[in-house]
Amino acid sequence: MNEAALARLVALEGRTALVAGGSGGIGSATAALLARAGARVLTVDLPGGVVPEGCEGLTCDLSDPRAPSALFAEIQRRTDALDLLVHSAGITRDGVLWKLGDEDWSSVIEVNLGSAFRLLRGAAPLLRKRGGGSVVLISSINGERGKFGQANYAASKAGLIGLARSAARELGRFGVRVNVVAPGLVLTPMTAVLAEEHLRKAIDETALGRAAEPADVANAVLFLCSDLARHVTGQVLRVDGGQLMA
Ligand code: NAD
């Protein structure tokens, strides 16, 4: 393979991406990177978020089950093609199991898992129509191992893995790949609120001895969106510096 062919494998020219949670730490790094790789990138986030460079920003509350119909109408008004979907919207409402309220449970499940289901359901016909594409759901290593004080969050993140693997089986014959990226600790607004001792503990758990930057996760998403990963589907790719190895 010559250099031009190699460069084409990672290039996303002619493809359109939707990045949910695209104003967040991981989402904005991912959206900007996909745009630099040549994709047309639409982001969706709550009103007031910063739209990453080179992207077009849409707004809606993804926890609202009615939101996707208006969102997809707007997407189809702007473009007749969707090739890539990245779900990076997420929240935490931490508390030990016996103190978690119904609202702590349902809000986390709706934003982290329900919205991924609804966006994937809405995107599936568009991806099928294109004859191929790539979906990446941002889970967490805590969805695999569980975490003290995060029963709601861990359940939502484990649910993303089941959702992705089922979708990978259903959409594979249409050329659509569906994968999960499971980060460990990433330095973003979500983790900026954590106490220093918690950050230190997580970093100490890693093999590499460092927390991830959003770009570390974005790089993995770009790989999964690109033709470099053309035979990769239904997988969970941990981007955690070796925090969880099993
Ligand atoms: P972040 O808070 O910077 O980004 C999350 C984004 O989701 C925000 O822009 C927020 O506005 C958006 N969002 C929240 N509720 C929404 C709603 N109802 N409708 C639309 N958008 C909404 O956090 P992040 O660290 O970039 O997290 C991105 C994803 O990565 C999340 O799913 C998170 O669970 C996951 N993750 C993060 C870490 C970490 O250490 N930061 C680790 C593992 C997994």
Side-chain angles (χ1 to χ4, degrees), residues 1-242:
M1 190 188 303
N2 62 29
E3 280 184 19
L6 187 59
R8 267 200 304 278
L9 276 178
V10 84
L12 299 177
E13 261 102 25
R15 296 188 214 176
T16 303
L18 174 64
V19 180
S23 297
I26 292 170
S28 60
T30 300
L33 185 62
L34 297 184
R36 278 180 52 209
R40 177 179 181 185
V41 181
L42 309 175
T43 59
V44 60
D45 208 303
L46 292 169
V50 174
V51 179
E53 203 177 324
C55 303
E56 300 165 52
L58 304 171
T59 56
C60 78
D61 179 350
L62 291 167
S63 68
D64 180 352
R66 293 162 303 183
S69 61
L71 177 65
F72 279 105
E74 175 60 19
I75 290 168
Q76 285 177 283
R77 204 182 59 74
R78 292 179 183 226
T79 171
D80 56 1
L82 185 66
D83 308 276
L84 309 168
L85 171 65
V86 181
H87 187 273
S88 186
I91 58 169
T92 53
R93 295 280 183 277
D94 293 357
V96 284
L97 184 56
W98 52 93
K99 289 187 180 168
L100 274 185
D102 288 340
E103 164 65 13
D104 299 323
W105 173 265
S106 57
S107 60
V108 168
I109 295 293
E110 278 311 317
V111 175
N112 297 7
L113 179 59
S115 76
F117 156 65
R118 290 186 288 269
L119 289 185
L120 194 38
R121 181 177 60 183
L126 304 177
L127 296 166
R128 282 178 53 170
K129 202 166 89 186
R130 287 289 274 179
S134 175
V135 176
V136 181
L137 307 181
I138 308 297
S139 175
S140 162
I141 59 168
N142 293 342
E144 298 188 88
R145 68 176 186 175
K147 178 84 190 288
F148 188 100
Q150 287 202 321
N152 50 357
Y153 182 81
S156 73
K157 294 300 181 179
L160 287 174
I161 297 174
L163 172 64
R165 289 191 166 141
S166 303
R169 292 188 186 281
E170 293 179 6
L171 291 168
R173 298 299 163 97
F174 299 98
V176 179
R177 299 179 293 100
V178 187
N179 290 288
V180 167
V181 165
L185 173 65
V186 190
L187 300 176
T188 70
M190 182 179 274
T191 51
V193 296
L194 294 177
E196 183 60 34
E197 59 176 299
H198 288 119
L199 295 174
R200 176 46 50 200
K201 184 169 175 287
I203 290 168
D204 286 346
E205 285 173 354
T206 68
L208 295 179
R210 61 181 278 265
E213 295 163 16
D216 296 318
V217 182
N219 292 344
V221 178
L222 174 60
F223 162 69
L224 289 169
C225 285
S226 77
D227 290 344
L228 283 171
R230 70 181 186 184
H231 204 51
V232 181
T233 195
Q235 303 305 309
V236 179
L237 175 54
R238 292 186 199 134
V239 181
D240 69 346

